[in-house]
Amino acid sequence: MVALFHKKINLFVAGRKQTFEKLTAVKNAQNTIWFHAASLGEFEQGRPVMEAFKEQYPTYKIVLTFFSPSGYEVRKDYGLADVVCYLPVDSEKNVQQFLDLVKPKMAIFIKYEFWPNFLNGLKLREIPTILISGIFRPNQIFFKKHGGFMLKALKTFDHFFVQDQSSKELLNTFNINNASISGDTRFDRVHAILDQKNDLDFIDAFKNKHYTVVAGSTWKEDEKLLVDYINSEASENTKFIIAPHNIVAKDIEALKKSLQKTCVLYSSKSGKNLADYQVLIIDTIGLLTKIYSAADVAYVGGGFGKSGVHNILEPATFGIPIIIGPVYEKYKEVVDLVALKSCLVVSDKETFSSTFTQVRTDETYRSQLGKTNHEFIQNNLGATKMIMEYINTQLK
């Protein structure tokens, strides 16, 4: 009933009605591997392993499932997977039907999503099941007095590849000793971005060799600070590219109207001399990674909301300074970069202004921040290789 009034829930319900029909495409496959991602962020963590797997096992079919519409709707056409579908609801009947169709040689869960019926079904069929890029905290249900049933499900995994030492120690405390510290596969993913072509002609034309701030995945709270700074303090020689998290026409128009500087939308750039504008608003998706490559400094949004800051690894791999809002504690990589003092935290209009001014005016400081961020990515590579070595032992 909720689906009648809520677009995202409607996608969630309608999408699952197609799952078993889609899975018939692999029911007669000799070799299939199953990857499960909760949403888009987890997909990006699993992607390096999927790519490495397909390169090494080209005859295998890949089934990729999502829990959330925000992952499925963006990646439903992912070319490397033979089937992309929603994960069925975790009932015993659905589990049996799913596993009868897919018959995976291995199941790979990404970061989290622990469904007891699916995990128990995999265990009963002796299908190797691993978790990659896992991270565990004491406040999770497995480790509470009332979470015994979930802890039991957790213990069905054959191996855990976790991001940090504290996750491994926490598992050990509960007699789960089949864990390895691999780090986060996203480091491998963002590092690979450097090997692709990242130049965009329209960005080069807009930037026109000027100092450029790229504000990515921004929310209204971020944009209020950005607009105040652009309108009142920004140098005329500084360019701004804003890529909002949600592309809603009325919100994009409101953002444009709030700016007192010359402003152009990506969707209306055709025929315009982009060098004449100081602000460019990206009212489309899929370009942000490449746009970061043109930045002198990146502001990553989300840090003023409950969910916290968005992905900082993409700008970090390009070796540029990063500025964020104050909510970031859930994300290990952000905590680490803040500790290294190369990801700068702002909390209000005053710190926003002073931080942007310091990074803008002190070229040596700016260069050192960027170098530290790039080295951080380099120093955390290798998770994909470790995971693939384990997979090879299981599929022999």
Side-chain angles (χ1 to χ4, degrees):
M1 289 180 65
V2 174
L4 296 173
F5 309 100
H6 193 290
K7 182 179 179 181
K8 190 171 183 179
I9 297 299
N10 182 51
L11 290 170
F12 178 94
V13 173
R16 278 169 169 75
K17 292 179 180 179
Q18 305 171 25
T19 290
F20 292 117
E21 181 182 348
K22 288 187 173 188
L23 290 172
T24 59
V26 296
K27 69 176 181 178
N28 295 319
Q30 292 297 309
N31 294 303
T32 303
I33 190 165
W34 170 31
F35 287 86
H36 175 66
S39 191
L40 189 59
E42 291 71 42
F43 166 82
E44 292 298 335
Q45 287 180 301
R47 189 171 179 174
V49 179
M50 281 182 263
E51 291 174 351
F53 183 88
K54 195 64 175 180
E55 182 176 353
Q56 196 162 340
Y57 297 92
T59 63
Y60 265 72
K61 301 292 186 182
I62 293 178
V63 171
L64 170 63
T65 59
F66 286 96
F67 178 78
S68 167
S70 57
Y72 173 79
E73 292 299 325
V74 175
R75 292 301 180 187
K76 60 186 176 184
D77 297 319
Y78 179 54
L80 215 62
D82 297 275
V83 175
V84 182
C85 61
Y86 282 100
L87 182 73
V89 173
D90 186 45
S91 69
E92 291 186 9
K93 179 182 176 181
N94 284 343
V95 169
Q96 296 307 317
Q97 189 175 355
F98 180 92
L99 295 179
D100 285 345
L101 284 168
V102 178
K103 298 183 290 293
K105 297 291 186 182
M106 175 177 277
I108 299 176
F109 287 68
I110 305 164
K111 192 175 181 179
Y112 50 62
E113 286 266 298
F114 307 98
W115 300 103
N117 287 316
F118 271 102
L119 292 172
N120 290 329
L122 290 163
K123 189 70 173 178
L124 286 171
R125 297 188 186 211
E126 298 183 339
I127 298 168
T129 304
I130 66 173
L131 182 76
I132 64 174
S133 291
I135 193 159
F136 292 95
R137 300 180 181 87
N139 63 352
Q140 289 172 304
I141 188 171
F142 326 103
F143 312 119
K144 295 184 177 181
K145 290 182 179 179
H146 60 277
F149 75 104
M150 287 299 293
L151 181 62
K152 183 179 179 181
L154 197 65
K155 289 183 177 182
T156 64
F157 278 92
D158 291 276
H159 204 83
F160 297 86
F161 290 93
V162 297
Q163 294 188 32
D164 56 17
Q165 181 69 29
S166 61
S167 293
K168 185 176 187 294
E169 290 176 355
L170 183 58
L171 290 173
N172 292 164
T173 301
F174 289 84
N175 295 316
I176 299 175
N177 299 308
N178 52 338
S180 303
I181 303 171
S182 63
D184 190 340
T185 49
R186 286 183 302 161
F187 288 96
D188 299 323
R189 173 66 187 155
V190 297
H191 183 257
I193 291 170
L194 297 176
D195 296 327
Q196 69 185 25
K197 185 179 184 301
N198 292 298
D199 295 337
L200 295 167
D201 290 343
F202 76 92
I203 292 293
D204 292 338
F206 169 77
K207 182 171 181 173
N208 196 26
K209 299 180 180 180
H210 285 83
Y211 179 85
T212 300
V213 176
V214 173
S217 301
T218 57
W219 293 79
K220 289 182 180 180
E221 298 89 342
D222 305 297
E223 290 158 9
K224 184 179 186 305
L225 290 170
L226 276 164
V227 169
D228 285 346
Y229 180 78
I230 292 169
N231 287 344
S232 62
E233 299 188 54
S235 162
E236 295 295 327
N237 293 322
T238 298
K239 299 269 188 161
F240 293 86
I241 302 173
I242 304 174
H245 178 70
N246 288 322
I247 310 301
V248 179
K250 65 180 181 64
D251 293 337
I252 294 292
E253 188 59 31
L255 174 60
K256 182 181 178 183
K257 286 182 177 179
S258 69
L259 290 159
Q260 298 169 11
K261 307 292 184 179
T262 53
C263 179
V264 61
L265 302 184
Y266 168 85
S267 59
S268 61
K269 71 183 187 307
S270 182
K272 294 182 171 65
N273 182 5
L274 296 180
D276 292 341
Y277 296 89
Q278 190 170 357
V279 183
L280 169 61
I281 298 175
I282 308 298
D283 54 343
T284 188
I285 61 173
L287 297 176
L288 182 56
T289 299
K290 292 179 181 292
I291 292 172
Y292 277 136
S293 71
D296 292 286
V297 59
Y299 177 85
V300 179
F304 285 91
K306 290 181 180 179
S307 297
V309 69
H310 288 275
N311 185 3
I312 68 165
L313 294 181
E314 289 179 353
T317 200
F318 289 114
I320 54 178
I322 299 167
I323 301 173
I324 62 171
V327 182
Y328 62 87
E329 292 84 359
K330 290 194 298 184
Y331 306 101
K332 180 182 182 301
E333 70 278 6
V334 186
V335 172
D336 290 345
L337 277 180
V338 170
L340 290 171
K341 299 182 179 179
S342 55
C343 179
L344 309 176
V345 182
V346 298
S347 56
D348 50 32
K349 182 177 179 179
E350 288 70 29
T351 55
F352 188 96
S353 174
S354 61
T355 300
F356 268 88
T357 299
Q358 183 181 13
V359 172
R360 166 79 172 82
T361 57
D362 191 335
E363 188 174 347
T364 301
Y365 178 56
R366 185 168 74 244
S367 176
Q368 184 56 54
L369 294 179
K371 181 181 178 183
T372 301
N373 286 340
H374 180 71
E375 289 175 349
F376 176 71
I377 300 294
Q378 296 289 118
N379 292 337
N380 284 279
L381 301 176
T384 302
K385 181 181 178 183
M386 180 185 291
I387 292 164
M388 283 305 302
E389 287 173 352
Y390 177 87
I391 290 173
N392 291 339
T393 65
Q394 297 299 303
L395 296 182
K396 281 183 178 178

